[in-house]
Amino acid sequence: MIPAAPQTTVDVLAIAAHRDDVEQTCGGTLLRMKSLGLRTGILDLTQGEAGTRGSAEERAAEAAEAARLLQVDIRQALDIPDGNVANTYENRLKIAVKVREMRPRVVILPYWTGRHPDHYTASILGYEACFLAGLSKLDTGNPPHRPFKIVYAGLYADVRPSFVVDITDHIEQRFASLMAYRSQYANQSAGSALFVPEEEIRERTFAMARHYGLLAGVRYAEPFVQKEIGLVDDLTLIPVQSI
Ligand SMILES: [Zn+2]
């Protein structure tokens, strides 16, 4: 019997600039989607060679462990230079090739403003790559595909979310996935002026998730922004109590 080809498609794909970005902004949501029976994936645009701490090899091993903890079906990293994520045709094409391979229904991108240029550039780059992936004239060896929905992870954006995802059942696992990046988050001397102590990361992670959870009447949540307006059919089924 011929073994089945490994399934290369996902329902939800999170695209981010750096290894550990997804763990910080939407890892709980990926776990939640997995618990609903959906296939999930992560596409990191860079390999982390420019970070203050750790080598690209160390971060690759840590990213694999974090992927295991987040239960994602696929995690891949492109070779876009860390610290120099640019919105070029070449980079849009690299991402479009992956979008056509993985064929996600939903793509999660970083929010489009922020402190780190790689983050906000990854946002517009990812959007334009998703557009490119749908162009029928572009031949990449896979048929055209455009995700139905693009949402933006807003955890560090300090903007009012369009909606939040309840991650109450998944927050410990999400925190564990972040702490898999020992080279980044374990207490150490290199970059100690730049990085917060390990104990504080736990408090910060839970406090932010609690804040967004409270906005929707749940314990812990991750925030997202969508550019489109929400559409409602049955008014009686709208969640989150008003008074
Ligand atoms: Zn980052």
Side-chain angles (χ1 to χ4, degrees):
M1 198 175 105
I2 302 164
Q7 201 177 340
T8 59
T9 62
V10 296
D11 299 299
V12 180
L13 175 65
I15 301 176
H18 312 117
R19 288 166 164 164
D20 85 7
D21 284 356
V22 164
E23 287 77 359
Q24 294 188 62
T25 62
C26 59
T29 298
L30 291 181
L31 281 163
R32 177 75 190 134
M33 296 308 109
K34 193 70 204 169
S35 78
L36 297 175
L38 298 170
R39 284 180 58 85
T40 58
I42 299 172
L43 180 62
D44 304 305
L45 301 186
T46 69
Q47 301 189 12
E49 71 277 6
T52 308
R53 290 170 166 178
S55 63
E57 293 71 33
E58 271 179 289
R59 300 198 84 183
E62 291 167 348
E65 172 61 8
R68 189 187 67 77
L69 291 166
L70 290 178
Q71 300 168 17
V72 293
D73 297 283
I74 299 172
R75 178 172 215 159
Q76 294 184 9
L78 295 178
D79 58 357
I80 294 173
D82 185 11
N84 190 22
V85 173
N87 185 8
T88 62
Y89 181 76
E90 186 190 4
N91 287 345
R92 290 196 293 276
L93 190 57
K94 285 178 182 175
I95 300 168
V97 165
K98 293 298 174 186
V99 168
R100 283 184 172 188
E101 272 175 32
M102 297 193 222
R103 314 188 78 72
R105 163 89 179 178
V106 177
V107 164
I108 302 173
L109 293 176
Y111 190 69
W112 57 86
T113 64
R115 185 187 67 85
H116 197 313
D118 281 359
H119 294 164
Y120 58 75
T121 306
S123 185
I124 187 82
L125 172 61
Y127 176 89
E128 293 187 6
C130 287
F131 189 87
L132 183 64
L135 294 179
S136 57
K137 291 262 170 67
L138 177 72
D139 184 9
T140 66
N142 277 315
H145 177 79
R146 205 167 272 161
F148 177 79
K149 194 75 184 170
I150 297 176
V151 298
Y152 298 86
L155 191 76
Y156 289 114
D158 193 25
V159 290
R160 189 170 174 83
S162 309
F163 62 90
V164 301
V165 173
D166 183 354
I167 63 158
T168 305
D169 292 343
H170 310 284
I171 187 150
E172 286 289 355
Q173 187 82 352
R174 176 193 158 209
F175 182 70
S177 78
L178 185 58
M179 296 318 291
Y181 292 86
R182 302 301 301 166
S183 72
Q184 305 302 300
Y185 298 110
N187 286 332
Q188 57 193 288
S189 57
S192 58
L194 189 64
F195 290 82
V196 297
E198 192 174 336
E199 313 75 57
E200 204 180 310
I201 296 169
R202 183 179 175 90
E203 188 179 356
R204 183 183 291 193
T205 299
F206 280 70
M208 292 187 82
R210 184 82 180 105
H211 166 72
Y212 287 109
L214 277 169
L215 294 179
V218 300
R219 189 158 180 85
Y220 297 114
E222 287 171 341
F224 294 89
V225 177
Q226 64 170 5
K227 290 182 174 173
E228 305 76 34
I229 208 76
L231 175 66
V232 169
D233 185 29
D234 184 340
L235 293 180
T236 69
L237 295 180
I238 304 175
V240 185
Q241 190 172 348
S242 301
I243 53 173

